[in-house]
Amino acid sequence: MYQGGYLEIRDVIATDAKQIAHIYNHYIQSTFISFEEESVSSQEMSARIEHVQRQNYPWIVALHDDEVIGYAYANTWKPRSAYRYTVEVSVYLSHQKAGKGLGTQLYRQLLERLKANRYENAIGSIALPNHASVRLHERLGFSKVGEFVGIGYKFGEKRTVGYWQLDLQSL
């Protein structure tokens, strides 16, 4: 349960793009959690949301006092048809709202929607080290299945990416 008060979770709408970009840009500019290196405009975020929605994947947002404070979505894991029942999932929170149960609540709703839509596997990619994200994924039943060492560069340093998998039918 979210410890920050009343919380509404709903499907994303076009006007959420600006607040979502603001949340995401914090991670681009200040962390290695995202491997993007340039900030994303609200127009670019709007295009990304539309892309996910056109594929009929869920994208949900959490609101507190009408402000988007977190979001979660699914996207294509790999484009080949053999992977059609597997998705990659992501969750991002306003950095001021982390550690209050919001990520768990968002992810649970996203995973339930994916299961209801007959997806079978969810993949979480985590830039390491990231103890909070690892705990979140493992708390929800994900298991670590692999790691690519030093695969990316951010802020002039090599970064490792770990992969966690969840069998959605086990929910």
Side-chain angles (χ1 to χ4, degrees), residues 96-112:
Q96 298 103 334
K97 304 296 182 183
K100 297 179 180 177
L102 176 59
T104 300
Q105 213 169 336
L106 272 167
Y107 243 180
R108 277 195 180 126
Q109 278 210 27
L110 180 72
L111 296 171
E112 287 297 332

Side-chain angles (χ1 to χ4, degrees), residues 124 126 128 143-148 160-165:
I126 304 172
L128 300 173
S143 298
K144 187 174 184 182
V145 293
E147 186 173 293
F148 290 114
T160 295
V161 176
Y163 292 91
W164 274 255
Q165 179 179 354

Side-chain angles (χ1 to χ4, degrees), residues 7 14 18 25 27 32 36 40 47-48 71 77 83 99 102-103 114 127 129-130 132 134 146 150 162:
L7 182 69
K18 183 177 180 180
N25 284 334
Y27 293 95
F32 58 84
E36 289 198 61
V40 175
R48 292 178 186 193
Y71 64 95
W77 164 241
Y83 295 112
L102 176 59
L114 290 167
N130 185 338
V134 169

Side-chain angles (χ1 to χ4, degrees), residues 150-170:
I151 195 168
Y153 279 86
K154 181 89 182 250
F155 304 132
E157 295 181 33
K158 277 187 175 184
R159 294 294 175 183
T160 295
V161 176
Y163 292 91
W164 274 255
Q165 179 179 354
L166 175 65
D167 175 355
L168 291 167
Q169 303 313 304
S170 70

Side-chain angles (χ1 to χ4, degrees), residues 24-115:
Y24 186 53
N25 284 334
H26 165 78
Y27 293 95
I28 293 172
Q29 298 162 1
S30 305
T31 76
F32 58 84
I33 290 171
S34 167
F35 276 13
E36 289 198 61
E37 297 179 292
E38 299 294 325
S39 294
V40 175
S41 70
S42 56
Q43 293 82 8
E44 171 61 24
M45 187 58 71
S46 182
R48 292 178 186 193
I49 292 167
E50 288 176 20
H51 175 77
V52 166
Q53 290 177 323
R54 274 195 310 274
Q55 297 177 89
N56 292 317
Y57 293 126
W59 187 312
I60 57 176
V61 296
L63 293 101
H64 182 258
D65 293 333
D66 295 322
E67 176 188 354
V68 175
I69 60 171
Y71 64 95
Y73 67 97
N75 208 346
T76 303
W77 164 241
K78 298 277 186 185
R80 290 185 175 79
S81 64
Y83 295 112
R84 67 188 167 275
Y85 298 109
T86 299
V87 294
E88 185 170 12
V89 293
S90 296
V91 62
Y92 286 91
L93 311 176
S94 168
H95 66 280
Q96 298 103 334
K97 304 296 182 183
K100 297 179 180 177
L102 176 59
T104 300
Q105 213 169 336
L106 272 167
Y107 243 180
R108 277 195 180 126
Q109 278 210 27
L110 180 72
L111 296 171
E112 287 297 332
R113 288 179 185 211
L114 290 167
K115 180 180 178 180

